[in-house]
Structure formats: structure tokens, C-alpha cells
Amino acid sequence: MPKLGMEPIRRASLIKATIAEIGHAGTLEVTVSRIAKRAGMSSALAHHYFGSKEALFLAAMRHVLTLYGAEVRGALAAAEGPEARARAVIRASFSPANFRREVVAAWLNFYALAQTRPEARRLLRVYQRRLLSNLTDALRPAQGPRAPGLARQIAVMIDGTYLHAALGSEAPDGAATGAMIEAALAQALQGGDA
């Protein structure tokens, strides 16, 4: 008889193991068996909870996006003023929790999966709309009609930096990366291009 209350714990363990395995391999070419082994359970149990490797990976990305969204909301709540709100979104994007090797690898694979899988594409669109909305909302009071274009530039820099970090050999440096994008934002706010 299964232990009551174990399903959420096992699901969370499998999600954490999925992110770690993708980070270790750098690709989606990991098996459910390897993920389950890292989580300390059988692959049959992993299939029972998620049904497929793709469903397991999408659950892992939902988890990543949930943590990211919570961090952005917290950063925005603490920020005062338009520029501080835009900087809060940038800082949350490159925080130690969001910009670590395994999460960056998961993002790279998520971008690739979104090219062929409708559910991943839908999830990516939700993320992109929220990122643009948060940046546009932060920038609109000071930039007016220029805000959507500037928000798009910053969003492209954020996503592009994740791709660059995933393909690079150095460990991701969130503080330096965030500072670089914040400098581009400052330049754009002074009237130059980002």
C-alpha cells in the first residue's frame, strides 16, 4: 500500500532530479531511468507520476518558471520607481537561484523543445509575455510610448544571455551578467540605444 502524502514529495524529487540531470548532461538526451536513479526511485514510478520524459521535463520547466515568477514578484514589490522596477526584473533573471548551470541548461533545452512541442511553445509564450509585460509596465511611466520597444530589447538581452551561458564553457556569472544588462538599460534610459 502506498504511503499517503508521498506523491508530492516524489514528484518534487523527480523534478529536482530532472533539472540536475539536464544540467549534468547539457541536453534532453537523458533517460527517465537516470533521472529516477538520481531521485532515488524506479523509472516505473517516474513514468507512473509523469507518463513520459517530455511531461517530466515540462513539469520541471513549470517549476523553474514558478520559482522565477515568485522571485520577480518579490523583487517588484520591493522596488520603488520605474527604473528600480526594471532593474528588479533584470536582477531576478540573474539571481543565484535562476542563473545556475543546471537551470541555464534546462532553459536551452526548453527553447529547443518549444520549436517542436505545442505545450512547451505555449509555456514559452506565457513566460515571454510576462517578461515583456513586467518590463513594459516598469518602463512606461518614464519612457511612455518608447517603453514596449525598450522592454523588448531588454528581454532579448536576457534570453540571449541565457543562450550564451548555456553554450559557453564558463560557469554562469549572474551578478556580472545582470550588471551588464543594467548598464545597457541605463544607457537606453539616458537616450542612447540599449
Side-chain angles (χ1 to χ4, degrees), residues 134-158:
N134 283 329
L135 288 167
T136 302
D137 183 60
L139 295 167
R140 186 167 279 124
Q143 298 297 307
R146 198 170 160 244
L150 183 53
R152 200 168 297 108
Q153 288 177 322
I154 298 300
V156 166
M157 282 188 244
I158 291 170

Side-chain angles (χ1 to χ4, degrees), residues 15 19 59-69 98 100 103 106-107:
I15 286 169
I19 295 166
M61 280 312 300
R62 281 188 202 92
H63 175 74
V64 166
L65 288 166
T66 297
L67 295 178
Y68 171 71
N98 292 315
R100 61 186 202 275
V103 173
W107 272 102

Side-chain angles (χ1 to χ4, degrees), residues 14 41 62 111-112 191:
L14 284 164
M41 60 189 82
R62 281 188 202 92
Y111 294 137

Side-chain angles (χ1 to χ4, degrees), residues 90-138:
I90 294 167
R91 287 186 184 133
S93 297
F94 298 104
S95 72
N98 292 315
F99 200 61
R100 61 186 202 275
R101 174 64 62 201
E102 60 270 18
V103 173
V104 169
W107 272 102
L108 175 65
N109 288 285
F110 179 53
Y111 294 137
L113 191 64
Q115 301 304 305
T116 60
R117 300 289 196 263
E119 180 61 18
R121 188 175 312 121
R122 185 195 69 73
L123 215 56
L124 182 59
R125 279 196 297 255
V126 168
Y127 153 74
Q128 288 172 331
R129 281 194 298 260
R130 286 182 184 159
L131 177 61
L132 281 173
S133 174
N134 283 329
L135 288 167
T136 302
D137 183 60

Side-chain angles (χ1 to χ4, degrees), residues 35-90:
I35 293 168
K37 183 177 179 181
R38 184 179 282 259
M41 60 189 82
S42 71
S43 59
L45 199 52
H47 280 289
H48 168 73
Y49 287 130
F50 292 98
S52 70
K53 181 172 75 169
E54 182 180 315
L56 181 55
F57 181 65
L58 287 172
M61 280 312 300
R62 281 188 202 92
H63 175 74
V64 166
L65 288 166
T66 297
L67 295 178
Y68 171 71
E71 194 156 346
V72 168
R73 285 188 301 279
L76 286 171
E80 293 183 22
E83 186 176 346
R85 290 178 59 78
R87 288 179 184 279
V89 173
I90 294 167

